[in-house]
Amino acid sequence: MKKEKRGGRVMWGLIYMGTFIAAFAISAVMKMKIDPFGGKYKAVWNHSLGEVYTDLSYGDGEANKFDLYVPADGSRKNYGLVVYLHPGGFTSGDKSGDAEMLQWLCAKGYVAASINYTLFSEKNPDANVYTQSVEIRESIPFVIAEAEKLGYHIDEMAVAGGSAGHALAMLYAYRDAKVSPIPVKMVFGAVGPSCFYLEDWINMGVDPDHPNKIDPDTDYSGMADLFTAMAGKQITVDMFKTGEYLELMKDISAAMWVDENSVPSVCAYGSWDRVQAFLASKRLDAALAQYNIPHEYIVCEHSGHGLQNDNAKYGIYMEKVSEYLNTYMPVD
């Protein structure tokens, strides 16, 4: 293994296994235990609402499994599918962790799916954001086929997720929708990295209003290592100077794939995020606005990666998710 590649992976692990878990998981547990919405976005799950089928396969890899939630009412001619991808900094997490969200979606009448993907680890050192996004792309036909076997004809879909899952969801929605076996109608999620401009990623969480500038005297080899590990392509400091790195990062930069055909979108970000670049989310908002894509860009001004200090804003995010689902993928 090249020294540069190993350095990137060590840094990636430190950032996404340490900081991510501390920032996001703790706040997620608090939201679960202290529900500020009085159960509005939860379902009391039982057989009257639906059934869940776990650990269904979509490939030969150990992680190539998905869970499928189907509504109790199987009488409709067509169903919308909502895929929700788990967080974990691309290095941890599991499809079972979003059961409450999937149950809520299923209770609303959607077929819902959670999909695992191969995580970066010592066991899987070649996993990266791009390979994970390819796994998600390749999983969708299997999810649809399994729903069909159970008697649920899928004719449209939404894709969503949290953090790493949100990043992968956006890549499917903006980059891969054209090869989707069914129309993608919308995407939603929170705190997913959307692009990788160096100036957005330096000094994360220090001051959301400060225009970060690249310092020619600063050694950005650590960022080069991080970008290398995430993209699965060699990024060097010299590429930062020429801008060449941006084209190499495009495969994992969802915002760079937004165009006039992109789908309606709902997203939420924390201004003080120290895990992914908040400034990158502004580029996503600008791209969606440039092409007049219906979207909601919700900023939690007092929060970091876990959106832990802005329950009111998070409530707006969930209201908009419901509104967009009802508008762009109504349950007939």
Side-chain angles (χ1 to χ4, degrees):
M1 182 185 297
K2 294 182 180 180
K3 182 178 180 181
E4 292 166 310
K5 199 169 185 180
R6 181 180 295 116
R9 284 171 176 165
V10 170
M11 184 178 179
W12 193 22
L14 287 173
I15 292 176
Y16 281 88
M17 290 192 74
T19 310
F20 174 88
I21 291 172
F24 190 82
I26 293 174
S27 63
V29 169
M30 298 218 23
K31 281 190 189 319
M32 183 172 62
K33 291 189 175 181
I34 309 172
D35 180 6
F37 311 117
K40 184 177 180 180
Y41 303 110
K42 292 182 180 180
V44 180
W45 187 252
N46 55 54
H47 293 300
S48 69
L49 295 180
E51 297 288 343
V52 56
Y53 299 84
T54 61
D55 292 328
L56 304 169
S57 295
Y58 70 86
D60 297 328
E62 183 179 348
N64 296 160
K65 305 288 185 183
F66 66 95
D67 295 345
L68 192 65
Y69 294 70
V70 296
D73 178 9
S75 64
R76 303 202 316 266
K77 181 179 179 181
N78 299 307
Y79 290 81
L81 167 69
V82 183
V83 171
Y84 195 89
L85 304 172
H86 72 78
F90 307 104
T91 65
S92 64
D94 183 81
K95 55 186 171 53
S96 62
D98 296 303
E100 285 190 352
M101 172 65 76
L102 292 148
Q103 291 166 0
W104 175 70
L105 290 164
C106 187
K108 288 174 68 68
Y110 300 105
V111 172
S114 53
I115 304 170
N116 273 356
Y117 43 90
T118 303
L119 303 170
F120 164 76
S121 66
E122 290 185 7
K123 183 179 179 181
N124 300 299
D126 294 322
N128 54 64
V129 180
Y130 179 71
T131 62
Q132 292 166 347
S133 72
V134 170
E135 286 183 308
I136 296 304
R137 182 174 68 205
E138 294 177 346
S139 73
I140 301 303
F142 290 88
V143 174
I144 294 169
E146 192 63 37
E148 296 278 354
K149 288 180 187 177
L150 295 170
Y152 297 82
H153 176 66
I154 305 297
D155 66 344
E156 58 187 7
M157 69 177 289
V159 60
S163 194
H166 182 209
L168 296 171
M170 289 189 291
L171 287 170
Y172 189 84
Y174 304 142
R175 189 194 69 194
D176 296 336
K178 60 183 178 295
V179 298
S180 176
I182 55 174
V184 180
K185 295 295 186 177
M186 62 171 286
V187 58
F188 66 90
V191 299
S194 64
C195 55
F196 297 88
Y197 290 80
L198 176 62
E199 57 267 38
D200 296 345
W201 282 76
I202 56 179
N203 300 323
M204 288 188 298
V206 175
D207 183 350
D209 296 319
H210 180 70
N212 288 330
K213 294 182 180 179
I214 298 173
D215 182 354
D217 297 323
T218 297
D219 179 7
Y220 291 114
S221 57
M223 295 307 300
D225 289 340
L226 174 62
F227 283 17
T228 291
M230 297 186 79
K233 300 175 183 178
Q234 188 65 50
I235 306 297
T236 67
V237 172
D238 287 340
M239 291 178 184
F240 288 148
K241 298 174 183 177
T242 64
E244 179 186 354
Y245 75 100
L246 286 172
E247 186 61 30
L248 295 176
M249 299 302 291
K250 183 176 179 180
D251 279 342
I252 64 167
S253 297
M256 296 178 74
W257 293 90
V258 171
D259 61 20
E260 64 275 6
N261 297 314
S262 293
V263 298
S265 309
V266 180
C267 59
Y269 287 92
S271 293
W272 298 92
D273 201 328
R274 294 178 181 269
V275 178
Q276 71 88 38
F278 170 67
L279 291 179
S281 74
K282 291 187 174 182
R283 294 186 190 270
L284 172 64
D285 178 41
L288 292 166
Q290 176 186 347
Y291 289 103
N292 297 313
I293 305 303
H295 74 285
E296 304 292 334
Y297 173 65
I298 298 156
V299 175
C300 297
E301 296 93 344
H302 310 100
S303 295
H305 199 65
L307 308 183
Q308 66 274 23
N309 300 321
D310 291 277
N311 283 336
K313 283 292 185 72
Y314 194 82
I316 293 172
Y317 162 71
M318 289 301 299
E319 288 174 4
K320 290 300 180 181
V321 168
S322 295
E323 178 184 315
Y324 272 53
L325 283 169
N326 292 336
T327 300
Y328 298 103
M329 231 170 67
V331 175
D332 297 326

